[in-house]
Each structure stands twice: as C-alpha cells, then as structure tokens.
Amino acid sequence: MNATAVEEKLSIPPMDEHNETWLSHVHPGDWQNPQPASLYDLVVIGAGPAGLITAAGAAGLGAKVALVERHLMGGDCLNVGCVPSKTLLRSAKVIGEIRVAENFGVHIPDGAKADFARVMERMRSVRSQISHHDSARRYQDELGVDIFIGQGGFEDSDAVSVGEAKLHFRKAVIATGNRAAELPIPGLKEVGYLTNESIFTLTELPPRLAVIGAGPIGCEMAQAFRRFGAEVTILEVAPQILIREDQDAAKIIEKVLDNDGVNIILDCKIQGMEKTESGKTIRFESSGGENELEVDDILLSVGRAPNVEGLNLDSVGVKNDPIKGVEVDDFLQTANPKIFAAGDICFPYKFTHVADALARIVIQNALFVPWFVPFNLGKKSMNDLIIPWCTYTDPEIAHVGLYENDAAEQGIEVETFEQELGAVDRAVADGETEGFVKVHVRKGTDEILGATIVARHAGEMISEIGVAMQGKVGLGTIASTIHPYPTQAEAIKRVGDSYNRTRLTPGNKRFLQRLMKWS
C-alpha cells in the first residue's frame, strides 16, 4: 500500500504567519502518511498529551509505535487550552498590575489599556513557538513514531484503520480526549456562541460578553476579558462559583472578580436566547425573578464531552459512554484486554499533568506486564496517584488531595490548620494578602490528607505539599524544614508550626519546664 497524503489543509482564522507556522507543525497540509509496519507493538489513537507521552515513551523504550491524529497534534492543551489561555492570562495580569500601580507608588499615565488585537497576536506567536515540540515531523523524524493523520477507528480487535491504511497491533491505547459540552438551551445554536476552542480565534474584543458556567475556564476567561475592557457577566446555575473548590477559596475569587467589575449571577436558570438588532438576548431566572441580559457574544463553559464517536468501540468490545467516556479498570485496561485508554477520555480529572501520569501507567501496564501474570503483579494503578490542580485566576486556587467534605464522606476525621497570607511578611510586601494556606491532616497525626492554597502563585506553591504527600512526609517535617525568608511559601511552614503547637500539651509543657531547670 502506498503512503497517503493528508486529505485537507486546515485553515483556522486568522491565517497570519503565526497560525501558518502552528498548523504546519500540528496538521501539516503536505503530510504523507507512512507505509504501515507489518505489526506495531503499540497503536495510539489521539495525539493530545496522553497520546503523545504514551507514544514517545514507548518508542524511547524500543517499541514500534504508530500514533493516529484526526485533527491537531498536541490536543487541547497546546492548541485551545493551557498554552493559549495562560498566554492570555499573562496579559490580563499585566493589566491588573497597572490598575493597582498607584498603591505601589508608581504613576501610570491615564489612558493605558489593553490592545486586544495585539494580545491575541502574542498568543498566536507563543503557540506557534511552542508547537514544534508536538509536531508531526518531530515525532516521526526524531522520536521514531509513525504518524498517521486522519480519522482512526478499530477495524477489529488487533487492527486500526486510517483511511486505506490498516495498522495491526499487539496493544492499542485510546487517547482521544474530549471537547466542550453543549447545553440544550433554546436558541443557543441559532444565536451562536464561543467555546474554549473558538474564543482563541477572536481578533476583536466583544464589548459585552456573557460567560455561561463559573468553573475554572469560565472564571479565568471572565476575569481576563473584563481586564481587557469587556463588560462581563457570569451566569452560574450553582449557588457559588467554582463549585468543586473549597468554599472559603471560592469566596475570595468571587470577591476579586467583583472588584474587577465582573457581574456574577448565581442560582441562574437560563430559559432561552434570541438574536436582536443590537446583540443577543439571554432570558434567565434567578433569585430576583425573571430577567434579560443583552450581550454581543456568549462563552459556553459548562464541562466536557468525551470523543468516543467514530472509533468503532462497540465492535471491539470496549465499553463506553457518551458522558463518562471509555470505561477502564484501575490499571487503565478496557473490557478488551488488548486495548487501554489514558487521559481525558477515561478519567474524571481532566488535566494535562494527569494525562502525563496516566500515560506512564499505560506504558508499563500495556507493554511490560504479560497477560498471564497473576494478581496484577507488576501493574501500576491509577488509584495511587496524588493529583494537584490549579485554577489560574488572579489570585490562583491550587488544591491537592482531599477536601474536608471528601474526608467526612469517607468517615475520616481530620484536623485543619490554616495560615492567612495577610500575616505573612512577603505577601504584605507584595500587596498580595488575599489568600491562605489550608492543610488537612488525619486527626491525631501529622499525615497530610489534602491542602488548598489561594495565592498569586498558588500553582507553584502546591507542589511542596504534593511532594510531602507522595513521600509520606508529615506536616511536622515541613515545619522543621528551613524555608527562605521572605517568601510567600513561608505560609506553608507556618501551617506546620501550627500543627507542632498542638503537640505541646500541658503535660509536655510541665515536663519541658522541669527539664530547663535541670539543664
């Protein structure tokens, strides 16, 4: 069979030099799919973070690997997720700094504002610079992975088809990720809306933006677009923003968003939408009764839907669900023992760093544990993962492990130790006193079960707690670890000091007093 070319050359607006470079890396229009090998040790469907790491890791260990991608190499993270969104947030953070500059004795001339077109051009430039890491040519030419661009699907239990090519495999991995979920709101499709994908094609700032959903993406984009100059309203069905987060943490972010000028409507039930001569009208019901909101654009940010369509999963005995995705066991194996899954397609925590961890589990379990080994010996379990995550508002919320309500549901008694940033010298000097470090330990011990940090750089700070949990290092050890002064991370040490003070019981104190007299 001859090699086949990519069927289409993608065009994603605006097609400037940055997008041309980006697309030439992640979906090259002149790509020729290679001649398939007679047998692959591993065929991976989906070239997002989970698929890329699985393919590169397996190939680096000597496996013969094929990687299939129907759209963009790099998946959501590179193309419409982490990279473009955090680039936008960096620009928004600069605007935030300018607005409070007078508090630091720095005078900014009147009229300073964001140039939205330039902000978006910088985003496209950064994305194009980073995109070569995930490029088809790098993976094939440098890493030795056969790259097939096109729709892949299972032809039978040991083969995947891509166009006319048939890729026979010993094992396969499904890593097709997910996409923005839709809502059955009357009129939504007719009026049109943005998702986390299409929002990064904008070149002009929408004067009035409605954000449906106050999850991480919704809150991050709401704050950024407000700082860029848009009038922003968040519509959230729940009684608080960031409903999965610590309530105290969510309240801080809600206050910050309010100070930025974001209008937040909670307990909101959207009834319908319609186009008008002057924009798009959203009809909704909230605690104040029935209301209407007119905007120029709508960002739908209400969760994710798994990409299970077109893979012919039922024909090869892979159980799947249009809401939950592909079903796997604790070792990421599907109901078909030859087929595994990794990343957003099968796991509830949909983060790039989690996809990375799952890919490493798949490599070991799929390639290096023979089917006849009893009792799952040698296999890695996804249940062993300690998973941190971060919402990149300004300030950030970072979390790892259990929340208090999680522990209560599991019948685990905890003690909670908290340090407000307002009492940390560096946070005061930085003018970043909105936030805290909160750590939960198993009652009667210093075993860390979970933590939440709200701080300007909470995502950088949470890893100290994660490492402690992974290494089974207790809060007492963190207290005895020297932290550089002055840093905001000193708040973590102070939490440890709070724990140590609980160990100083009246009996211990009397013993120490006697000891001092004898010394």
Side-chain angles (χ1 to χ4, degrees):
M1 184 183 300
N2 294 326
T4 56
V6 170
E7 295 179 0
E8 59 175 338
K9 182 176 181 179
L10 291 183
S11 177
I12 298 178
M15 283 302 291
D16 58 5
E17 61 178 313
H18 307 304
N19 275 4
E20 288 278 4
T21 299
W22 163 53
L23 291 176
S24 73
H25 288 152
V26 300
H27 193 101
D30 59 349
W31 186 257
Q32 297 282 328
N33 285 337
Q35 176 76 24
S38 58
L39 180 66
Y40 289 99
D41 296 305
L42 198 66
V43 170
V44 182
I45 306 178
L52 289 171
I53 293 165
T54 300
L61 292 169
K64 182 63 177 175
V65 181
L67 178 60
V68 181
E69 173 54 53
R70 68 179 180 181
H71 191 40
L72 303 176
M73 299 278 293
D76 272 13
C77 182
L78 168 67
N79 301 301
V80 294
C82 312
V83 171
S85 68
K86 302 313 167 279
T87 308
L88 254 61
L89 296 184
R90 182 66 184 93
S91 295
K93 187 174 285 190
V94 172
I95 294 294
E97 292 280 7
I98 289 173
R99 289 179 179 170
V100 298
E102 292 285 352
N103 297 339
F104 296 86
V106 178
H107 176 66
I108 303 295
D110 293 340
K113 62 180 182 179
D115 180 341
F116 185 73
R118 181 67 187 92
V119 167
M120 297 302 284
E121 183 187 6
R122 178 178 181 271
M123 178 275 295
R124 296 191 299 274
S125 173
V126 169
R127 181 173 60 186
S128 71
Q129 291 175 51
I130 293 174
S131 63
H132 77 91
H133 295 300
D134 297 345
S135 69
R137 288 185 173 83
R138 174 174 179 263
Y139 265 72
Q140 184 155 292
D141 297 344
E142 297 180 23
L143 303 182
V145 177
D146 283 356
I147 301 298
F148 292 84
I149 295 180
Q151 174 65 54
F154 289 96
E155 188 160 320
D156 49 53
S157 286
D158 66 353
V160 167
S161 61
V162 187
E164 297 181 359
K166 191 171 183 179
L167 316 180
H168 292 275
F169 60 80
R170 299 182 192 275
K171 298 287 177 61
V173 176
I174 304 164
T176 49
N178 58 23
R179 63 187 182 278
E182 296 182 0
L183 281 183
I185 299 173
L188 177 63
K189 289 185 177 180
E190 288 74 15
V191 303
Y193 60 94
L194 300 167
T195 68
N196 73 297
E197 297 182 13
S198 55
I199 197 167
F200 297 113
T201 66
L202 293 177
T203 55
E204 295 182 5
L205 181 71
R208 300 167 298 175
L209 177 68
V211 178
I212 300 177
I217 295 174
C219 288
E220 289 172 5
M221 290 297 102
Q223 185 178 48
F225 275 71
R226 177 64 192 128
R227 289 183 174 185
F228 294 149
E231 294 180 13
V232 179
T233 300
I234 293 176
L235 304 172
E236 170 57 50
V237 68
Q240 75 165 58
I241 67 169
L242 300 168
I243 192 63
R244 294 186 178 89
E245 291 292 350
D246 177 280
Q247 192 173 52
D248 294 334
K251 284 181 179 178
I252 290 177
I253 303 305
E254 184 174 342
K255 178 183 175 183
V256 169
L257 292 176
D258 182 67
N259 290 340
D260 274 331
V262 176
N263 182 29
I264 302 173
I265 302 174
L266 303 174
D267 293 308
C268 175
K269 296 180 181 178
I270 299 175
Q271 307 297 325
M273 303 178 182
E274 57 188 24
K275 282 186 178 181
T276 64
E277 290 184 2
S278 53
K280 303 174 182 181
T281 297
I282 303 172
R283 291 179 284 103
F284 63 93
E285 181 182 327
S286 66
S287 55
E290 295 186 357
N291 295 276
E292 290 187 350
L293 173 70
E294 188 174 78
V295 297
D296 300 293
D297 232 324
I298 298 166
L299 171 61
L300 188 63
S301 178
V302 289
R304 313 293 294 171
N307 293 321
V308 295
E309 301 84 358
L311 299 176
N312 302 323
L313 298 179
D314 293 336
S315 68
V316 290
V318 174
K319 295 180 180 179
N320 63 96
D321 181 272
I323 296 175
K324 296 180 180 180
V326 172
E327 294 184 22
V328 294
D329 63 14
D330 293 345
F331 310 103
L332 299 177
Q333 195 167 31
T334 71
N336 184 324
K338 288 186 175 183
I339 302 174
F340 292 72
D344 294 357
I345 191 65
C346 66
F347 201 69
Y349 297 105
K350 304 185 185 306
F351 306 110
T352 296
H353 50 283
V354 175
D356 180 312
L358 295 176
R360 296 167 194 270
I361 291 174
V362 158
I363 291 170
Q364 175 164 330
N365 294 347
L367 295 181
F368 301 109
V369 181
W371 64 268
F372 52 80
V373 173
F375 310 116
N376 295 312
L377 295 175
K379 287 186 177 180
K380 281 189 175 182
S381 171
M382 65 181 181
N383 293 330
D384 297 332
L385 297 177
I386 294 173
I387 300 172
W389 59 83
C390 185
T391 296
Y392 296 93
T393 47
D394 184 17
E396 300 170 350
I397 298 179
H399 178 81
V400 64
L402 299 180
Y403 293 101
E404 285 179 274
N405 60 323
D406 295 331
E409 289 174 2
Q410 296 178 32
I412 302 172
E413 290 189 87
V414 300
E415 291 180 278
T416 300
F417 298 92
E418 184 173 346
Q419 174 64 57
E420 299 286 339
L421 287 187
V424 176
D425 293 353
R426 179 59 185 271
V428 175
D430 288 340
E432 298 170 0
T433 55
E434 287 279 6
F436 58 78
V437 174
K438 184 185 291 188
V439 179
H440 312 299
V441 299
R442 190 182 299 273
K443 190 171 183 179
T445 76
D446 71 342
E447 179 190 354
I448 301 171
L449 299 178
T452 297
I453 300 176
V454 181
R456 193 80 185 275
H457 304 286
E460 309 290 343
M461 296 167 66
I462 198 68
S463 291
E464 179 177 356
I465 305 292
V467 169
M469 293 175 68
Q470 187 72 45
K472 303 188 185 306
V473 170
L475 197 51
T477 301
I478 288 180
S480 66
T481 302
I482 298 174
H483 288 64
Y485 175 89
T487 60
Q488 293 190 27
E490 188 190 1
I492 300 173
K493 183 180 187 299
R494 289 195 179 190
V495 169
D497 291 338
S498 297
Y499 163 76
N500 277 344
R501 284 193 288 272
T502 67
R503 300 168 64 190
L504 193 60
T505 64
N508 289 338
K509 190 177 285 188
R510 286 193 297 271
F511 173 76
L512 290 173
Q513 287 171 344
R514 292 193 189 102
L515 192 62
M516 284 187 284
K517 290 178 182 179
W518 296 338
S519 63

